[in-house]
Amino acid sequence: MPRYLFVRSLTALCVVLGICTVVFFLLHLVPGDPVDVMLGEAALPADRAALRQALGLDQPIFVQWWSYLINIMSLDLGTSIHSQRQISALLAERLPATILMACAGFATAMLIAFPLGIFAALRNNTAVDHAAMAFAIFGVSVPNFWLGPLLILVFSYWLGLFPVSGMNGVTSVVLPALTLGTGLAALQARMIRAALLEVLHEDYIRAARARGINETRVVIRHAVRNALLPVVTVLGVQLGALLTGSVVTEYVFDWPGIGQLLIDSIHKRDYPVVQACILVISTTYVVVNLLTDVLYSVIDPRVVLEQ
Amino acid sequence: MLWCLASLSLTVLHIEHETIYLEKILAVPGWDAWLGNDELGRSVAKRLLAGARVSFFIAISVVSISFFIGTIIGISSAWLGGWWDRLMIMIMDLFMAFPGILLAIVLAGLLGPGISNAVIALSVVGWVGFARLARAQTLSIKQRDHVQAARALGTSTTRIALRHILPLLTAPLLVQITFELAGTIIAESTLSFLGIGVQPPDASWGSMIRDGMRYMLIAPHVVLAPGVAIFLVVMSINMFGDRLRDRLDVRIKH
């Protein structure tokens, strides 16, 4: 186990650095010069050259790339071109909001998906099942930049239950969480239903019932636990969707998180901040996927972690 | 079975209906607005159809480009093996280890808004799905007897790829195409919604929602209409893809 963790962490690190490399080169391939953005078109050539040198942009691209990787490894993310502030400080400001929203969205998704998936499987081919699956199709197909405004319209404007946007108080997190969670809830409900339907036909379920264990216990202890594995498998991948969704959702609800910082920085062509945001998001994604793999062995002791 | 076929043809008709309809409608201006007018007094129904054209244009370009590049890379990677295969696997893994739409957002944002840039940005992340699928399938097809026989007869590599491998890839790739289409439509409207995709005067469902949000409280229909459009199209394509997968899989099994 420790050896496995070590090797996997090392691979994860390589993947993160690889992503940084891809993003780095893509950013440099894209036309558009940050120096132009900072100084404007009318700047003197001497000023441009000076700034270029100060930013290290005059060096060959491979040298720039190398020093970028070295900086990342020493956790130095640089300073924002636009606000001249330390990027790590900027991120530290924004991160809690994003984490709060992602967790709330995730919790919402699970709270919807589990009851829905379990009931749909237990009442297979009834109205409950069909309704649950209709919701699943709705959830997968509805774009969250539309669901957000829709929820604002209904719950904030017509019903006046929650604030329209911004982050203040507990109630303000409800609508973003719902917007973010619906897609994931739909996918998970489908997965849970499918996995549970398969498990419910297994012999050990019949055996458990034959032993007179009550139905709730059979479902929760014997069926759901065994149905969890395929559900956890896709969870890691779906978290990527959750992260992406959070960018859009933050934009809709004017939520002061990383996603909004990313979009802002793209508009301002603030390359270092864009790179840093991508770094944070991709690291989260890679780490979560690593944790999912480890989680397997906890849920299913039959899984032995190897290289 | 009949119900399956009926809904399948309905889904197909629904999409075609939309694409064929829009040219006719756009050619006849001055129609009374069914879905009301937007903030500049434009007919939402007509903008919706214009948006449909942009959206389908982008989706089809992106999927064709991704399909073309992805399939070539996938087949060549599986066929040639060696360092090329290893390099491609590394690149594919990198792309898979990262939510693609985020990269598209960054790319589209920095390339600057516009239809062609949106196509580029979405294609850069779109090819990976095709490449992985084509590679995995080719690896198994490569070992089949008919390919071995063709090889033994000295058939050229290109010919083997086109005549002996590609036809067997059609079914899984078709299914992949439907899902990528749905994904691209959502991705494109996401870009436009964030203000880094399609720009005015071109209409896009995403930017219609973005613009409409400001007037949502007075005129909800401006936001509702494009959203329903995206939702219906994506749902139809997804359901079509599901059916297609079920049907084609059955044929593969027999």
Side-chain angles (χ1 to χ4, degrees):
Chain A
M1 183 78 169
R3 188 184 143 76
Y4 170 83
L5 272 183
F6 177 72
V7 174
R8 275 299 308 262
S9 312
L10 219 61
T11 335
L13 184 69
C14 291
V15 169
V16 170
L17 290 181
I19 293 167
C20 290
T21 306
V22 171
V23 173
F24 178 86
F25 282 105
L26 281 177
L27 287 187
H28 282 78
L29 283 174
V30 164
D33 190 341
V35 175
D36 281 345
V37 180
M38 291 169 74
L39 295 179
E41 298 283 329
L44 294 171
D47 290 342
R48 282 166 181 269
L51 183 65
R52 203 167 271 282
Q53 201 171 11
L55 293 175
L57 291 172
D58 54 337
Q59 289 177 343
I61 189 160
F62 282 100
V63 177
Q64 287 185 43
W65 169 65
W66 186 246
S67 58
Y68 172 61
L69 285 192
I70 298 289
N71 282 341
I72 290 180
M73 299 284 272
S74 52
L75 294 179
D76 173 16
L77 296 172
T79 48
S80 155
I81 294 183
H82 196 261
S83 64
Q84 299 296 336
R85 292 184 54 201
Q86 282 285 323
I87 293 176
S88 37
L90 273 178
L91 289 178
E93 245 170 48
R94 301 289 192 124
L95 209 52
T98 297
I99 292 176
L100 173 68
M101 194 172 78
C103 291
F106 185 75
T108 313
M110 293 303 119
L111 280 177
I112 298 175
F114 270 95
L116 210 62
I118 292 173
F119 274 111
L122 292 179
R123 307 263 179 282
N124 191 18
N125 269 329
T126 62
V128 181
D129 187 18
H130 294 313
M133 287 309 103
F135 166 78
I137 291 176
F138 168 79
V140 174
S141 306
V142 69
N144 50 12
F145 56 84
W146 183 59
L147 186 62
L150 208 63
L151 291 174
I152 294 179
L153 190 68
V154 175
F155 290 101
S156 305
Y157 187 62
W158 289 345
L159 300 177
L161 290 177
F162 305 107
V164 172
S165 65
M167 186 175 79
N168 36 33
V170 188
T171 48
S172 65
V173 82
V174 175
L175 291 185
L178 215 54
T179 308
L180 194 57
T182 302
L184 186 63
L187 279 170
Q188 283 294 347
R190 253 169 100 153
M191 287 297 302
I192 292 167
R193 174 179 172 273
L196 208 56
L197 277 179
E198 212 153 281
V199 168
L200 282 175
H201 290 293
E202 297 280 343
D203 287 341
Y204 57 80
I205 298 295
R206 198 178 311 149
R209 281 186 181 142
R211 277 186 291 155
I213 300 170
N214 78 31
E215 188 63 22
T216 327
R217 200 178 150 88
V218 171
V219 170
I220 291 175
R221 288 293 297 270
H222 297 258
V224 172
R225 184 165 175 186
N226 282 294
L228 267 180
L229 200 62
V231 176
V232 173
T233 319
V234 289
L235 207 58
V237 182
Q238 287 172 359
L239 231 99
L242 195 72
L243 286 171
T244 318
S246 73
V247 174
V248 175
T249 312
E250 281 177 15
Y251 189 82
V252 172
F253 287 94
D254 200 16
W255 191 262
I258 300 274
Q260 224 186 28
L261 182 68
L262 175 68
I263 302 292
D264 271 355
S265 315
I266 288 176
H267 283 304
K268 290 174 185 156
R269 296 199 167 263
D270 201 338
Y271 290 97
V273 181
V274 173
Q275 280 171 336
C277 290
I278 298 280
L279 177 69
V280 171
I281 296 175
S282 56
T283 311
T284 318
Y285 187 56
V286 170
V287 169
V288 166
N289 271 311
L290 179 64
L291 289 180
T292 335
D293 284 358
V294 177
L295 202 64
Y296 279 176
S297 64
V298 180
I299 295 174
D300 187 350
R302 286 170 303 183
V303 175
V304 180
L305 293 176
E306 273 164 24
Q307 251 179 270
Chain B
M1 187 69 197
L2 262 175
W3 177 78
C4 236
L5 272 173
S7 49
L8 194 139
S9 61
L10 230 154
T11 339
V12 174
L13 280 179
H14 170 70
I15 298 164
E16 279 179 356
H17 167 84
E18 207 143 12
T19 29
I20 295 167
Y21 224 170
L22 78 157
E23 262 99 21
K24 280 186 189 160
I25 294 254
L26 282 178
V28 191
W31 246 48
D32 249 335
W34 286 2
L35 297 171
N37 294 62
D38 70 358
E39 77 277 10
L40 295 177
R42 292 169 294 194
S43 153
V44 172
K46 264 185 267 169
R47 301 246 313 147
L48 216 55
L49 291 171
R53 189 169 60 173
V54 171
S55 170
F56 278 110
F57 170 76
I58 293 182
I60 286 172
S61 325
V62 169
V63 172
S64 331
I65 296 173
S66 311
F67 171 79
F68 194 69
I69 298 177
T71 313
I72 290 180
I73 289 182
I75 293 181
S76 67
S77 166
W79 183 261
L80 299 174
W83 65 269
W84 171 252
D85 191 28
R86 278 200 294 277
L87 180 71
M88 285 303 131
I89 290 178
M90 218 173 80
I91 295 179
M92 283 188 249
D93 280 348
L94 273 184
F95 273 91
M96 291 299 285
F98 187 76
I101 171 82
L102 261 187
L103 193 60
I105 289 177
V106 172
L107 258 181
L110 296 175
L111 279 170
I115 293 180
S116 50
N117 284 340
V119 171
I120 296 174
L122 293 172
S123 303
V124 166
V125 289
W127 65 274
V128 188
F130 286 108
R132 278 178 76 93
L133 186 69
R135 182 179 172 278
Q137 296 280 329
T138 309
L139 275 182
S140 77
I141 296 173
K142 194 179 159 185
Q143 300 305 328
R144 293 206 197 154
D145 292 341
H146 75 280
V147 176
Q148 296 293 341
R151 250 176 131 174
L153 288 170
T155 317
S156 76
T157 313
T158 337
R159 201 181 152 82
I160 292 179
L162 284 179
R163 301 295 296 270
H164 299 271
I165 294 180
L166 201 57
L168 290 173
L169 287 176
T170 322
L173 285 177
L174 262 179
V175 175
Q176 178 78 7
I177 284 178
T178 57
F179 290 124
E180 294 243 352
L181 265 180
T184 311
I185 291 174
I186 292 232
E188 178 274 316
S189 40
T190 306
L191 291 183
S192 302
F193 174 77
L194 293 172
I196 49 187
V198 178
Q199 292 291 299
D202 289 319
S204 155
W205 293 341
S207 58
M208 284 173 77
I209 295 180
R210 170 195 169 86
D211 295 338
M213 250 178 83
R214 266 174 268 156
Y215 308 93
M216 187 173 69
L217 301 185
I218 323 161
H221 66 269
V222 181
V223 171
L224 290 180
V228 171
I230 298 176
F231 169 64
L232 285 180
V233 169
V234 171
M235 192 176 70
S236 316
I237 298 180
N238 272 336
M239 285 166 79
F240 177 68
D242 277 342
R243 299 258 152 67
L244 198 67
R245 184 177 52 194
D246 294 346
R247 285 178 56 101
L248 292 177
D249 272 354
V250 169
R251 213 171 63 191
I252 290 168
K253 267 180 212 154
H254 283 301

